[in-house]
Amino acid sequence: MTPKTILFADDDPDLLRILVAKCKAISPNIEVVYARNAMAALTTTNVLRPDMVCMDVNMPRGNGMAVCEMIATHADLQSIPLIVLTGQQDEAIKERCRKISAHYIAKSGSIWPQIESIIRDNLDLTSGEPVAESEDASIVEEEEFSVEDFLDALELKADADADFGDQTQPTLDQQPSVLIIDDDPAWGDVLRRRLEGKGIQVRHALEGLQGFREAVQSDVQAIILDYEMHDVHGDYVLGRLKDNPLTKEIPVIVVTGHVNNALKRKVLNIGAAGFLNKPCTWDQLWGELQRRTLVCA
């Protein structure tokens, strides 16, 4: 049977990990993607068209309730079942949920049984041969669009601006995040320790396609990409990152053991922000991050 895709949108990484793990345990026919801020949830829903969306109300870069209302009133998205999560017993939120036929769940220690019941009631998870996870399982459909175009199409731009308001400004205590895509665990561990020492959150993918999926699903400000990997070359991953509307603006620094000016020109033409030859020093890499990205701002 066709896999069912569920989008979880929440800025609590611990809750996300629990929800993703429990959701995948329901059926092999469920694929899970997630977003950690409201704008990522909005754009991912428009591009991916998931079979269900589970949205926290209070998130960075916007209001989850407003995003759900946009989805519910969009001609192409309104059939998607919606679950609204909130940490407060809010009667106003309950009423807004009723108006758009969204499921309201107050955050507590027992939210999973409620979410599981809604998933089983709304998604056809009947028996069939388990669906093997494809390499591109979490990759969204690639098409060009802008958030402004999407909001205009919803004819709710004024309401969206009012709901998003000043929340689009990141808070001062938000740590920047860097994704390392490199199949050398030792090199990755060295970089992790160095970057975390600078107050930067680090994610590490050991394969190119895994790294692409991580970039799509995570809110990262920069990517350090190895060129030679076991599954694919870095130029393929870089091309996918730059072709995807969710990742194309993320600065990517390519590192490689090949001393090759033609390769350097190639990856820069694809869209790399920087290029370094291995072995490079920490000062060289840190200098590139400072020059090419905002993680050191």
Side-chain angles (χ1 to χ4, degrees):
M1 64 176 291
T2 303
K4 302 295 183 179
T5 302
I6 300 176
L7 168 65
F8 286 104
D10 200 296
D11 63 335
D12 183 339
D14 294 327
L15 178 60
L16 271 179
R17 280 193 291 269
I18 293 170
L19 292 177
V20 170
K22 285 186 172 292
C23 191
K24 288 184 174 181
I26 294 177
S27 168
N29 294 312
I30 292 180
E31 295 178 348
V32 180
V33 295
Y34 56 88
R36 290 181 174 170
N37 65 65
M39 288 304 294
L42 180 66
T43 53
T44 302
T45 300
N46 187 55
V47 174
L48 185 59
R49 307 294 168 92
D51 297 286
M52 178 173 286
V53 172
C54 184
M55 182 89 61
D56 186 23
V57 171
N58 296 311
M59 286 191 296
R61 302 193 66 196
N63 181 284
M65 187 69 240
V67 172
C68 286
E69 289 169 335
M70 294 177 195
I71 294 170
T73 54
H74 188 281
D76 296 331
L77 305 177
Q78 60 185 2
S79 64
I80 299 174
L82 300 171
I83 300 174
V84 174
L85 300 177
T86 178
Q88 299 178 342
Q89 295 287 340
D90 191 321
E91 292 300 323
I93 293 294
K94 290 181 181 180
E95 180 59 29
R96 291 169 74 178
C97 287
R98 283 193 287 269
K99 287 182 178 179
I100 62 172
S101 299
H103 301 275
Y104 170 94
I105 297 179
K107 284 187 176 181
S108 67
S110 60
I111 66 171
W112 173 246
Q114 299 176 69
I115 294 174
E116 181 180 12
S117 177
I118 295 169
I119 291 172
R120 293 187 182 278
D121 288 344
N122 286 270
L123 301 185
D124 180 13
L125 301 174
T126 54
S127 61
E129 290 299 317
V131 176
E133 182 178 356
S134 67
E135 288 183 328
D136 293 329
S138 299
I139 296 174
V140 301
E141 176 185 351
E142 296 175 19
E143 58 177 293
E144 291 295 328
F145 78 101
S146 69
V147 173
E148 289 293 320
D149 291 340
F150 182 36
L151 296 180
D152 288 339
L154 291 169
E155 297 181 351
L156 288 171
K157 189 175 188 303
D159 291 341
D161 289 341
D163 275 306
F164 280 33
D166 292 336
Q167 297 181 60
T168 57
Q169 298 300 319
T171 59
L172 292 176
D173 60 352
Q174 284 182 318
Q175 286 182 291
S177 180
V178 170
L179 170 63
I180 301 168
I181 307 176
D182 195 304
D183 59 5
D184 184 342
W187 165 255
D189 286 342
V190 170
L191 290 186
R192 178 189 294 276
R193 289 194 295 271
R194 289 281 194 169
L195 290 167
E196 288 178 343
K198 297 287 188 178
I200 296 172
Q201 297 182 32
V202 179
R203 298 177 178 278
H204 185 194
L206 291 170
E207 294 181 342
L209 292 176
Q210 176 195 356
F212 177 77
R213 291 193 292 269
E214 186 75 15
V216 169
Q217 296 177 349
S218 306
D219 188 10
V220 297
Q221 285 73 55
I223 296 172
I224 300 170
L225 174 64
D226 186 24
Y227 185 79
E228 286 283 349
M229 287 178 286
H230 295 311
D231 58 339
V232 292
H233 280 171
D235 56 351
Y236 174 80
V237 179
L238 178 63
R240 297 296 298 270
L241 290 168
K242 293 304 169 183
D243 287 341
N244 191 290
L246 299 178
T247 56
K248 65 181 179 181
E249 300 299 330
I250 302 174
V252 180
I253 297 174
V254 176
V255 291
T256 177
H258 292 283
V259 181
N260 186 323
N261 286 331
L263 177 58
K264 179 178 180 179
R265 288 193 298 270
K266 179 180 180 180
V267 297
L268 292 178
N269 286 335
I270 294 173
F275 181 91
L276 289 172
N277 289 116
K278 286 183 178 179
C280 60
T281 66
W282 163 249
D283 288 340
Q284 289 174 315
L285 181 56
W286 182 243
E288 280 294 283
L289 285 170
Q290 289 178 307
R291 286 190 293 271
R292 313 295 183 187
T293 78
L294 297 177
V295 299
C296 312

